[in-house]
Amino acid sequence: MSLIPGWLRPPRVRERLASYHLRSDVLDAAAAMASDQRTDIYVVHLESSLTDSETVLRMMDGRHARVMGLLVLTSERILFRSRHRTGPNFSVPLEEVLAIQAYTRRGTGTIRVITPYGSLTVDQILGRQGEMLADDARATIRGEPVPNRDPLRLLAELRALRDSGALGAAEFEIRKAAIWRDI
């Protein structure tokens, strides 16, 4: 039971994106990232960049070459799609990733993807999302399946996002309730 009346509660990510009929993996990744309605249209446009054989494992907002966009880990690659039509984009197959480094400082994360051709940096990532993407990318590169999300781990990640200031108290409670509902 929620303390917030239904008419006052902001729509959840799945509710906001339902009319677009997106793939379930895209919806799952969108629901797990810390974002708001401003990112929804970029999630919708992302689906056209994906192949049928790849699965979206994680996505988040970030900044590459001073332009905001979506950083996405799929089962086959790491890609960045700019919010601007002519903005910087990249797509790196996982087999070309030599290393992936991530750190969080003062509630904002940075990821560096190192390839044989140079490195790509994405910063301004909210909370520890960048570190989580890097961990999942390393596991995927090693050929380990990304495990089903443990509810306790999800709650810990959610708490970390709240503590870093990336999530407000109301959004934290809404997402926490959704995790408990799925158990």
Side-chain angles (χ1 to χ4, degrees):
M1 184 171 128
S2 174
L3 298 175
I4 302 172
W7 57 269
L8 186 57
R9 179 186 54 79
R12 294 185 178 106
V13 174
R14 290 182 190 282
E15 294 167 352
R16 293 191 321 248
L17 296 174
S19 63
Y20 296 105
H21 307 290
L22 298 172
R23 297 175 5 182
S24 63
D25 61 320
V26 174
L27 277 175
D28 291 343
M33 75 177 183
S35 68
D36 58 22
Q37 290 119 317
R38 294 175 290 182
T39 302
D40 290 355
I41 194 65
Y42 305 110
V43 171
V44 172
H45 292 307
L46 169 71
E47 190 165 341
S48 65
S49 303
L50 303 171
T51 65
D52 292 336
S53 64
E54 67 186 326
T55 302
V56 175
L57 304 174
R58 193 173 285 276
M59 75 171 74
M60 64 205 58
D61 287 321
R63 182 180 73 168
H64 171 65
R66 295 188 291 199
V67 176
M68 291 300 291
L70 275 180
L71 177 64
V72 182
L73 170 65
T74 74
S75 56
E76 299 176 5
R77 60 190 169 142
I78 298 174
L79 62 129
F80 179 85
R81 289 292 166 255
S82 167
R83 289 186 177 174
H84 303 292
R85 274 181 207 206
T86 59
N89 296 314
F90 67 77
S91 176
V92 178
L94 290 178
E95 59 267 6
E96 291 183 9
V97 174
L98 299 176
I100 184 165
Q101 303 167 341
Y103 63 90
T104 304
R105 185 169 175 230
R106 295 185 185 159
T108 305
T110 300
I111 288 183
R112 176 185 259 170
V113 179
I114 301 168
T115 71
Y117 316 108
S119 67
L120 302 159
T121 302
V122 178
D123 59 7
Q124 303 250 331
I125 299 169
L126 289 176
R128 295 190 60 243
Q129 293 182 103
E131 292 177 31
M132 293 182 277
L133 182 137
D135 291 342
D136 289 351
R138 288 184 203 105
T140 304
I141 290 168
R142 287 190 303 262
E144 300 170 4
V146 176
N148 284 340
R149 304 298 285 170
D150 174 24
L152 295 176
R153 183 174 173 203
L154 286 172
L155 288 169
E157 293 171 358
L158 194 61
R159 193 174 310 110
L161 288 171
R162 181 197 60 196
D163 293 345
S164 71
L167 283 180
E171 180 71 12
F172 171 78
E173 292 300 325
I174 291 168
R175 289 189 183 194
K176 182 175 78 170
I179 293 170
W180 282 110
R181 195 174 43 250
D182 291 341
I183 294 177

